[in-house]
């Protein structure tokens, strides 16, 4: 295969180079760091060894955690080295045999997840939820929403890689008119289309991370589907927040796109309508948003195209908020943006919003949908503007619902 | 020192044998599995090696995780072996030099925490909170409280061992009358006296753990102080639950008491006032409560003695609930009982309740207290009935508040 001849316009060209972990077909129990180029995966550790690179050790591990923990200077250095390996013609004979076709490998969870936090940063999403569940409130946002990026901890042990089946969760639910809760499989199983941010460089307890230090700590991003059982969540979540309605599974893409690949996608977040406390005030910072065009499909049919550029709170603000109380970061921490919903109906990142809490079924070629049915396959994909008009693809995240 | 001559009635006698991880004075960077006996710590790995035990590998690690993951049969076997090592006279000459005085060693976080979940299982605590914050509600409990053990995920990366200073967190707070939130150090920093349960045996995604399998999965318990910044929490927690009000630090005792040491402490939980769904119905199970007598002190003065036997939801019910949606367990998962509060005023496990939200200051010998001041040292200790009238001590959890 030709590593240097990725088709013009391929969203996984040499300007992208996302990292993952794969098992080759001939060694299915091994886990190796891979770098995607087009429809192929470079065995990065083998390449480093073959070329006598000083990064052979860092890239020769079974997860990305060592690379994540190596710090932002090393991230840049490794990326520069990789770019050379796949572009300098004299490396061709060495490098070419170290590529595997994407379809031949098994993609693995690329890093060991430390803590997982989920935010709630889309104003459109939060307002839609408020209108549905608190229709009589004067404001569809809670009073704190414009002052801080609301978030909560999720279950890191059930973060799974794209392609993993999702077992429909069972649990308690209770309609307002039911005299007592009933138990059974969730009947309101939903998608949440999100972007996940992967922390590389840790921080110390008691030492907040400032807005401007975001790029020192965050290695890259992925797509994330925060599967949600709306009926379980509705009954359990007062007063301490979501628990079993979310904890059964969270899917992430197999590829982590380094922040450096997304420099051309940076955009200013929406105008801030409320003054921000200094630790969150990004008016003097570089643009904190990303112009990511997300696509949500169910069984191959696109149901929504949420624009990430509409997110009110940025990843840098979320990081600053998450640590302002002195909470430390660890290598492998993952945080989700919250459901991405744009202002248009076809830009909503959950079925809850797309069907207005089940009222308006979606008409798909294979039938109507309010919430997910067994066998449904949900896929999130995305791209961002790259250098010179190129697109930077994010790895897709897909999952099939199976009966419990 | 005399390993076999622990004073009669010592709560850390041979009937207890909790596990921890320590660094000896002469090798402060090493981490070794230790077993407490009286005021001494046995270097368990060294003992196993010296006696040619098959557990030398399991006990020769820098954390308890390998032992936790070895499963309940091995837990029993190792405990039986340890009991022999410290009681059979012929081992004395080998074992005695492997003890370190407790005061000479540094105690470490005994296991790598995977996911951390905090519950809310004391009816007295939940009713006190309801009365304070929802005084007009018909019921001081939320409608779901008697149907499921309410819980949420916390931050596992900031779980620290007893003795670690706790930096006063800063954050946003907003009194109802304030026009906008203000930022600064928490002025309502609180204690939550809890018991923590440590998961050993993992489970698979999609496979709930039944009530009766509790002892196959839970290795032991510890004391836990879920430090809480009430002002930060009050402003942030609607609608997704506690986040920065809790995530700055959670302290656990250095000693994990195996469930087998607490057989004599098992008691039936309070009578269930509402019918339970089958997966939580423990009426046909062995007693799920523990008769643990907790003591909470501030700067050496006992302010409360919460009785764990009053907890409405048991650890087995919490485990069954946490996994009923198919969420998997990992070795090192930790879950807290929730604040332990008894029915009496002097049995409340938080300053929030003891001072009724700051209204009634506690009169301590060193001054009045509503919430914690810088320099305050909080210590939780506990004991349980053991065999033949002995007491089983839980390792204390202590922490000092320092300014941020």
């Amino acid at each position: 295969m030709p590593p240097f001849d990725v088709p013009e316009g391929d969203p996984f060209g040499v300007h992208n180079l996302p990292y993952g972990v794969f098992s080759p077909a001939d060694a299915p129990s091994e886990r190796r760091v891979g770098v995607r180029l087009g429809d192929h995966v470079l065995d990065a550790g083998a390449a480093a060894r073959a070329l006598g690179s000083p990064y052979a050790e860092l890239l020769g591990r079974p997860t990305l955690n060592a690379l994540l923990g190596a710090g932002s200077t090393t991230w840049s250095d490794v990326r520069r080295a990789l770019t050379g390996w796949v572009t300098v013609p004299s490396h061709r004979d060495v490098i070419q045999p170290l590529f595997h076709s994407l379809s031949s490998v098994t993609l693995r969870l690329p890093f060991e997840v430390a803590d997982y936090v989920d935010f709630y940063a889309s104003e459109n999403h939060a307002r839609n939820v408020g209108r549905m569940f608190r229709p009589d409130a004067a404001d569809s946002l809670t009073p704190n929403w414009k002052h801080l990026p609301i978030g909560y901890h999720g279950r890191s042990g059930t973060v799974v890689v794209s392609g993993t089946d999702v077992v429909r969760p069972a649990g308690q639910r209770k309609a307002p008119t039911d005299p007592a809760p009933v138990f059974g499989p969730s009947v309101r199983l939903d998608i949440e289309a999100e972007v996940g941010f992967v922390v590389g460089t840790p921080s110390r307890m008691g030492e907040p991370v400032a807005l401007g230090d975001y790029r020192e700590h965050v290695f890259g991003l992925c797509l994330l589907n925060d599967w949600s059982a709306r009926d379980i969540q509705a009954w359990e979540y007062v007063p301490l927040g979501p628990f079993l309605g979310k904890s059964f599974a969270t899917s992430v893409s197999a590829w982590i796109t380094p922040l450096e690949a997304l420099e051309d996608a940076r955009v200013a977040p929406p105008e801030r309508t409320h003054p921000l406390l200094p630790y969150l005030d990004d008016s003097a910072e570089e643009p904190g948003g990303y112009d990511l065009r997300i696509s949500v499909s169910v069984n191959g049919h696109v149901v929504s195209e949420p624009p990430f550029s509409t997110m009110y709170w940025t990843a840098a603000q979320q990081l600053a908020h998450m640590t302002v109380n002195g909470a430390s970061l660890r290598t492998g921490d993952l945080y989700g943006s919250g459901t991405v919903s744009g202002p248009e109906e076809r830009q909503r990142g959950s079925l809850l919003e797309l069907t207005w809490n089940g009222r308006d079924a979606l008409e798909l070629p294979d039938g109507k949908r309010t919430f997910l049915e067994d066998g449904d396959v949900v896929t999130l994909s995305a791209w961002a503007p790259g250098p010179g008009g190129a697109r930077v693809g994010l790895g897709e995240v897909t999952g099939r619902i199976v009966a419990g």
Side-chain angles (χ1 to χ4, degrees), chain A:
Chain A
M1 54 73 56
F4 310 110
D5 302 331
V6 176
E8 181 86 8
D10 191 301
F12 293 94
V14 293
H15 58 294
N16 190 340
L17 301 181
Y19 295 89
V21 169
F22 73 101
S23 299
D26 58 357
S29 65
E30 282 189 24
R31 295 184 181 225
R32 302 181 188 169
V33 171
V35 172
R36 180 168 173 182
L37 187 64
D39 290 333
H40 288 79
V41 182
L42 175 67
D43 183 332
R49 288 189 296 276
L51 294 170
S53 162
Y55 306 118
E57 162 66 17
L58 210 54
L59 297 172
R61 308 289 184 86
T63 73
L64 296 181
N65 288 62
L67 176 63
L68 297 179
S72 60
T73 303
T74 302
W75 305 337
S76 293
D77 292 345
V78 171
R79 182 170 166 82
R80 199 175 307 114
L82 273 164
T83 304
W85 302 347
V86 299
T87 55
V88 175
S90 61
H91 292 327
R92 185 168 188 139
D93 289 348
V94 174
I95 292 295
Q96 194 152 350
L98 303 177
F99 275 89
H100 300 253
S101 77
L102 192 54
S103 59
S104 74
V105 304
T106 304
L107 296 172
R108 306 294 187 178
L109 188 65
F111 62 101
E112 291 171 19
V113 183
D115 271 300
Y116 166 49
V117 165
D118 194 30
F119 284 95
Y120 189 54
S122 160
E123 180 172 353
N124 297 295
H125 172 67
R127 286 200 185 278
N128 286 336
V129 170
R131 284 189 200 106
M132 271 183 265
F133 296 115
R134 295 179 294 112
D136 302 326
D139 188 346
S140 55
L141 296 179
T142 53
N144 52 7
W145 202 94
K146 286 285 180 99
H147 295 283
L148 53 81
I150 293 173
Y152 66 100
H153 285 88
R155 192 164 186 83
S156 55
T158 50
V159 175
V160 296
V161 72
S162 176
T164 306
D165 283 350
V166 172
V167 178
R168 179 180 297 273
Q172 294 194 24
R173 61 177 183 270
K174 182 183 169 300
T177 53
D178 288 342
V182 298
F183 182 86
S186 169
V187 296
R188 297 168 76 80
L189 184 55
D190 200 359
I191 300 159
E192 289 198 341
E194 304 195 14
V195 173
F197 294 84
V198 181
V199 172
T201 305
S203 71
R204 293 161 61 104
M205 269 181 86
E207 298 181 6
V209 174
L211 270 180
D213 292 335
Y214 161 71
R215 277 131 66 85
E216 299 301 311
H217 290 276
V218 172
F219 173 81
L221 49 76
C222 58
L223 287 172
L224 185 151
N225 187 343
D226 183 40
W227 306 96
S228 299
R230 301 298 180 193
D231 41 2
I232 296 173
Q233 184 182 351
W235 170 233
E236 75 179 355
Y237 89 106
V238 174
L240 299 181
F243 184 34
L244 299 186
K246 302 276 194 174
S247 66
F248 54 96
T250 305
S251 298
V252 293
S253 53
W255 300 104
I256 311 299
T257 302
L259 294 192
E260 287 186 275
L262 294 164
E263 281 305 296
D264 291 284
R266 299 180 68 176
V267 292
E271 193 185 349
R272 277 70 177 79
T273 55
H274 288 55
L276 292 175
L277 286 163
Y279 79 96
L280 291 173
D281 182 358
D282 59 356
S283 55
E285 302 288 330
E286 45 191 10
Y290 291 98
D291 179 13
L292 307 175
R293 325 284 176 92
I294 303 171
S295 177
V296 181
S297 74
V298 176
N299 302 331
H301 311 297
V302 175
V303 297
S304 176
E305 294 180 305
F308 192 74
S309 59
T310 61
M311 300 299 275
Y312 192 84
W313 296 104
T314 71
Q317 288 174 316
Q318 290 167 336
L319 191 75
H321 186 62
M322 187 159 45
T323 60
V324 76
N325 68 343
S328 48
L329 300 172
R330 288 183 294 174
T331 297
D333 282 348
L334 169 69
Y335 61 101
S337 60
T339 308
V340 183
S341 291
E344 310 296 329
E345 287 198 14
R346 281 267 302 186
Q347 294 180 332
R348 294 169 177 168
S350 67
L351 293 174
L352 177 74
E353 295 164 271
L354 287 166
T355 70
W356 211 253
N357 199 19
R359 187 191 66 188
D360 309 324
L362 293 180
E363 303 277 356
L364 300 185
D366 50 345
K368 290 191 178 190
R369 283 293 181 292
T370 49
F371 292 94
L372 295 170
E373 298 186 2
D374 291 345
D376 280 351
V377 175
V378 177
T379 303
L380 311 182
S381 58
W383 63 271
R391 291 184 174 192
V392 179
L394 268 62
E396 69 174 21
V397 56
T398 188
R400 184 170 59 107
I401 306 301
V402 300

